[in-house]
Amino acid sequence: MAAQNTTQKTSGSEVQPHQDMATARDRIAGFAAGIASGATKLFVGHPFDTVKIRCQVEGGHGRFKGPLDCLVSTVRQEGPRALYKGASIPLIGWAVMDAVQLGSLSNYRLLLQGNNKAHKLSHFEHGLAGLGAGWTVALVATPVELIKMRLQMQYASGAARKYRGPFDVARHLTKTYGVFGIWHGLPATMAQRSFFFLLWGSYNVYSEWFRSLRFSSAFPYVVGSGSPGAIENRQMSEKLINFLAGGMAANTFWCCCYPVDVVKNRFMTQGDVNPIPFRKMFAHVFRTEGLSGFFRGFVPTFIRAFPTNASAIFVWESTVRLIKNETRH
């Protein structure tokens, strides 16, 4: 019997491999674009982050009256550059973190799609991909955030400083907690990053909602597709959708995870002599400061979340499209 030809033909032409199957470029695009996203976050978000960390850790001890007082006091006493304290590590760290987070997010999505890009994921599956990305990036985020926060919480200058720089912090942590000292607080970081399920799940919800809208010539000028007055061929650009959905998803994320973030940061910046375990830090914060203690620094975080993450996700999505030579991601 003649061997069966494994290549099917239609009208004398070969059927090409499915164009929607993932390629190597699809797998690496998220990692490469994540570097641009991380640099964007540093430039836009680090001053907000410094105020947030200082309010979270010191706000309950009478040092600052609120976020604005923290900002003014920091600039007046230490100069504007103090808002970028600890930025040297995030300069590299955020680029690496976003490369790992967004690259792994892309690959978890492809895994859930069975490597078929045409397969549409549910909101829940987008959340699962986000959860996996959160746990993955926690391995990189823990040392970066731990060193950054220790430097941010250093108010002294000159010879009075406890740490001379990021490498001095890393040396101290390794001496205190052993060879894995820079990963002190990994379980706490993984707990906080678990909320990436909500970040990326809600990002898909908001994105689909914005795509369903159409511009209108009458107030409110944006209506649902099929509504009276809707101009069906006029809708938001994909870049604008990325920006708006990214900012709204970030605000959703922080509204839900903020108490856990406060406890994580308290745990990771406390003294190294008789430290309070992470699981007991929740009770400690409640006992010493009440419910308000879980929301120290929330205002600068909420304000920071939209522009920082909207810009970062916009840059990431745009860069991915550029790398993959697509008009839409």
Side-chain angles (χ1 to χ4, degrees), residues 38-165:
T40 303
K41 279 184 180 178
L42 176 73
F43 178 75
V44 178
H46 195 79
F48 290 99
D49 188 64
T50 296
V51 173
K52 181 199 81 167
I53 294 297
R54 289 189 167 192
C55 285
Q56 282 183 340
V57 179
E58 296 285 358
H61 302 291
R63 185 183 289 269
F64 307 117
K65 298 176 183 177
L68 183 60
D69 181 52
C70 177
L71 173 65
V72 173
S73 297
T74 297
V75 173
R76 180 184 296 133
Q77 297 175 17
E78 304 171 62
R81 292 179 61 184
L83 296 173
Y84 282 90
K85 273 191 174 182
S88 57
I89 282 292
L91 180 61
I92 300 172
W94 269 353
V96 174
M97 283 195 299
D98 269 25
V100 172
Q101 181 208 153
L102 299 172
S104 62
L105 175 72
S106 298
N107 281 273
Y108 287 133
R109 285 175 176 175
L110 289 172
L111 181 64
L112 291 169
Q113 289 175 307
N115 291 326
N116 180 5
K117 295 184 293 180
H119 174 69
K120 183 180 175 65
L121 296 179
S122 66
H123 300 318
F124 181 78
E125 288 173 319
H126 275 283
L128 282 181
L131 176 64
W135 286 350
T136 301
V137 76
L139 296 170
V140 180
T142 299
V144 172
E145 293 185 349
L146 180 58
I147 292 172
K148 171 183 69 72
M149 288 190 293
R150 295 261 176 147
L151 289 172
Q152 286 175 318
M153 293 310 302
Q154 183 169 255
Y155 295 94
S157 59
R161 292 181 301 170
K162 180 178 181 179
Y163 305 116
R164 294 188 297 275

Side-chain angles (χ1 to χ4, degrees), residues 224-238:
S225 177
S227 299
I231 305 174
E232 292 300 329
N233 63 345
R234 290 193 61 197
Q235 60 191 100
M236 292 185 183
S237 69
E238 195 66 17

Side-chain angles (χ1 to χ4, degrees), residues 48 51-52 55-56 66-68 251 254 258 262 294-307:
F48 290 99
V51 173
K52 181 199 81 167
C55 285
Q56 282 183 340
L68 183 60
N251 283 144
W254 282 111
Y258 197 79
V262 169
F294 292 105
F295 293 93
R296 300 282 182 191
F298 178 76
V299 172
T301 300
F302 189 81
I303 295 173
R304 161 187 178 267
F306 193 100

